[in-house]
Structure formats: C-alpha cells, structure tokens
Amino acid sequence: MTFKATRYSGTRRHFLRQAAVGLAMPAIIGRAMVSTAQAAFEGEGLIVVSWSGNHELSFREAVIDPFNAKYGTKAETVGGWDQMVSQIVAAPADNPPFDITIADEYTTSSGLAEKIFLETDRSKMNGFAAVYPWFDAMRGDARKYGVPFGGGSLWMLTAKSAGLKPDSWKNFWNPKVRGKTTMDAAAFYWDLCIPALLSQTKPGIDEVFGTPAEVEPLFLELEKLRMPKWYKDGAELSNLMLQDEAEVAMMYSADAYGFIKVHGAEFDAAIPQEGTASYTNWFMKVRGTRHSDLSDLFMAYLLEQETQQRFLDVSTDFMSRSDLKAPPQWANYPTSNEDMARMFNLFSLQGWEIFGANWEALDARMKKTIAVTTEG
C-alpha cells in the first residue's frame, strides 16, 4: 500500500508570487456534442494529471479505466504535485505535456497567472446542475476554468490503543499523547490550520492568512505539542503509527481510505467536529492541447453521477455532486451545501496570495518550530 507524498515542493515559492488570475481563450466543442460522442473518439489518446499516490491509483481505477471502456479511447493518467504549471510553461505552446491537469487553489492561481488554462463552455455540460453551489462560490472568477470534481482535506488519525477518538483536534494537545503526535514537516501550512480551527479569534482557518506576527500564536500552539518526529511523506507517517512512535496524526484524505482499509482494526480516522481545512480538485484543460474535443468530453464525464460515485466509493475525498450516496467508510459524509460550508474551510486562492507573500518568513519560522519540538 502506498501513501500520499508530501504536497507541494519548493517550486511553489515562484508561483505564489504570481497568483493573480489571468485570462484565457474560451474552449469550443467542435467535433461532437458530448451527449452524442459515443464512439466518436475511439482510439484517441488523452493524458490527464491526477495527484500522485493513492489519488492516482483510485483515479485510474474508478475514472480512467471506465472512460476508456465506455468510449474506446486511450486515456491515461500520470501523477503530479506542483510541477504541472512549470512543465506546461516549458513546453511548446501547441504541444503541452498533457491535455488536462488536476488543480487545487494554488495550481489554479499560478496556472491562470501564466495563462495556460482554457475556459469551459458550461452550456455543453449537463453535470453542473448537480454541483454544490459551494464550489463556485469559493472559486470567484476562476470558476470559468475547468470543472469541479471534488476536493481533499485534513483528517485526524488516532490509534485505538491511545483511548482517544478522532473527534476533536483538541486531542492533539491531550496530555495522554504528549510526545506521541505527528504532522507534516514540509507542508507546514496545513499544520497551521489545526490550531487555527481551534482558535476563537477568527472564523475557520483565517488566522493562517496574516502577517508573520499574526500567525505567531499558531506556531506557539504547535510548539506546545513537543512532537519528537514530524513525517516527511505518507510512508513515514504510516511507519510512525504502526511502530507506535505516534498515536495521533494529521493525515490527508487521499491516504485515509487506504490506511483504514488495511489497518482499521487498530486505528480510527475521521474529520473532527470542528471541521477541517481543505482544497478543491478542479480539472483544467491545458492551452494548446491537440485533443480539445476529447478533453471536453472527459471533463463532462467527470461531472457524471456514476463517475463521481465510483471514485467516492474508493476514497475519502469529497465530491462536487450533491446526489451521491455516502460511502461506508464515511458515515457523516456531507449531504447538503450547508454541510459543505460547515465542514470544509478552504485554503482559498486569496489565502494563497496572502500566505505566499510571507512564505520565506513563515517557512523559516516553521523550521524553528520543528527544531524546538524535536529537542524534547
């Protein structure tokens, strides 16, 4: 079983400084309406980027393979993290390395700043009628680009031997597990969201989107944990929990399903009652694609009920459609737009713009936090 690698590398710094949303030319479905496209694309290839790790595996099984079976196409998925924008920019404008890419808020803002995504003609796609309004409301003008497939979030993972449930982020600070908690050493912006969710100063995770001085209380809360080990990737997280070096952890939703499926007898995972921090997964058509019509067909397919239900059944990501059945692994899956707004606090495009402006200072401060806590 593989688990999710750390989200986002140092290349993020360059693009965070270019987070202004750009404009692109609108997409046109020319060869065939998506509703009558059966067999029109037989044998044609398509490259779609999904998140590396468990997300990619689930996406291939639940989305790509059924699409090829339905249309006789040769679509494939490749894994990526934050390098997609730089790869597209480096390639010839009329020959991008892939046709469609997954995009969270960071990838969206940096990609639109580089004008590498194409607008979506929603009139050609029936699935938008079933999408939670929350997705567009949180997207702003960027909603013109791509389609919302779903999103990921932070989950809490607890060892049953600890006697604690993943029902509150406060359990990280429970004396019973002092020195036996762990978080992500690299993607520290997600770590900061946990004390932000517990803070009463601002709503949701808004405390994260401030000056270094304003964010300082969140670092101080993390330092109280005295975490001896911060994981660098999903494999290390798994080892820390299985070897009893950690009993409480922050885990990404893309990993939660796979981990609990294998180790559910010993561990519990859930979104705590305070809600969680999240990102959305939109799929964006890349400028210069030589498979524009097939790309439109695929994006419409991503909005279909059967497609999203298949993916939801093998994951712990949330989906964009409002008419899906909650999977067995997620008892309190959101079933209304109000549930979405209550449960998920988005690390928004505007949030990335603010956070990115202070990246170097916050990154340096996190290194100090890790050094302090690992000293014991």
Side-chain angles (χ1 to χ4, degrees):
M1 178 65 65
T2 58
F3 295 98
K4 187 177 186 181
T6 299
R7 291 183 61 83
Y8 315 136
S9 67
T11 58
R12 173 173 297 262
R13 303 184 189 185
H14 169 70
F15 294 112
L16 283 170
R17 299 191 187 99
Q18 305 179 55
V21 175
L23 297 176
M25 294 299 292
I28 299 175
I29 300 178
R31 188 189 334 167
M33 295 290 290
V34 294
S35 59
T36 60
Q38 194 77 30
F41 302 94
E42 187 172 358
E44 186 171 343
L46 188 75
I47 300 177
V48 183
V49 180
S50 53
W51 298 128
S52 295
N54 283 326
H55 186 277
E56 181 185 359
L57 297 176
S58 298
F59 193 77
R60 181 177 292 111
E61 172 189 344
V63 179
I64 294 291
D65 290 347
F67 180 79
N68 286 333
K70 182 176 183 179
Y71 292 106
T73 49
K74 296 181 179 179
E76 57 183 297
T77 186
V78 296
W81 287 120
D82 67 347
Q83 78 276 21
M84 291 86 78
V85 171
S86 59
Q87 288 177 333
I88 298 168
V89 171
D94 63 347
N95 190 25
F98 31 80
D99 306 289
I100 298 173
T101 183
I102 197 168
D104 63 350
E105 282 60 41
Y106 160 69
T107 309
T108 298
S109 62
S110 58
L112 290 177
E114 296 285 355
K115 300 183 180 180
I116 60 171
F117 298 137
L118 300 179
E119 285 191 24
T120 300
D121 186 349
R122 293 191 174 194
S123 68
K124 304 293 198 302
M125 301 179 183
N126 297 326
F128 276 101
V131 171
Y132 284 116
W134 179 84
F135 281 85
D136 273 358
M138 301 303 292
R139 199 67 166 175
D141 287 343
R143 65 182 178 273
K144 300 174 184 177
Y145 303 86
V147 298
F149 185 60
S153 62
L154 309 184
W155 281 51
M156 187 174 182
L157 177 67
T158 58
K160 293 181 179 180
S161 59
L164 297 175
K165 292 288 186 180
D167 54 3
S168 175
W169 294 114
K170 294 178 183 178
N171 286 336
F172 265 95
W173 286 264
N174 190 306
K176 293 175 61 176
V177 292
R178 182 178 174 85
K180 301 200 76 173
T181 61
T182 187
M183 294 182 187
D184 193 335
F188 66 93
Y189 27 87
W190 294 121
D191 301 333
L192 292 171
C193 290
I194 294 177
L197 287 164
L198 296 174
S199 173
Q200 300 300 311
T201 305
K202 295 181 180 180
I205 59 173
D206 284 356
E207 285 90 338
V208 177
F209 311 133
T211 65
E214 292 171 329
V215 179
E216 178 64 16
L218 303 182
F219 285 108
L220 295 178
E221 286 300 311
L222 291 180
E223 289 179 0
K224 290 179 182 178
L225 296 175
R226 287 295 186 266
M227 284 188 285
K229 292 188 177 180
W230 299 67
Y231 64 83
K232 297 181 179 65
D233 54 38
E236 185 174 10
L237 166 60
S238 178
N239 289 333
L240 289 173
M241 299 299 286
L242 294 175
Q243 294 173 11
D244 198 33
E245 294 186 62
E247 294 180 315
V248 175
M250 180 270 282
M251 171 176 267
Y252 299 106
S253 60
D255 287 343
Y257 172 73
F259 188 88
I260 293 303
K261 183 178 180 181
V262 177
H263 305 293
E266 303 171 73
F267 300 92
D268 293 312
I271 293 176
Q273 61 188 6
E274 297 90 0
T276 190
S278 67
Y279 54 92
T280 57
N281 292 327
W282 290 59
F283 281 85
M284 317 287 272
K285 185 164 71 168
V286 178
R287 60 101 175 96
T289 172
R290 298 179 181 180
H291 304 281
S292 182
D293 294 339
L294 182 56
S295 295
D296 291 330
L297 176 65
F298 186 84
M299 290 196 298
Y301 165 83
L302 289 174
L303 295 179
E304 293 177 5
Q305 183 183 31
E306 290 183 357
T307 305
Q308 293 203 11
Q309 188 68 61
R310 278 196 306 269
F311 188 84
L312 177 60
D313 288 344
V314 293
S315 75
T316 33
D317 277 4
F318 58 91
M319 310 307 297
S320 66
R321 287 189 66 109
S322 60
D323 55 359
L324 303 182
K325 180 181 178 182
Q329 69 270 16
W330 196 342
N332 63 335
Y333 183 79
T335 57
S336 69
N337 200 63
E338 291 71 25
D339 285 347
M340 298 290 290
R342 172 185 53 80
M343 187 176 294
F344 302 113
N345 297 273
L346 191 67
F347 208 117
S348 65
L349 280 84
Q350 295 78 12
W352 273 118
E353 185 175 357
I354 297 168
F355 194 86
N358 299 306
W359 177 274
E360 282 77 10
L362 295 172
D363 185 43
R365 181 63 181 88
M366 187 60 182
K367 288 181 171 62
K368 178 182 176 182
T369 293
I370 292 176
V372 168
T373 60
T374 54
E375 289 175 357

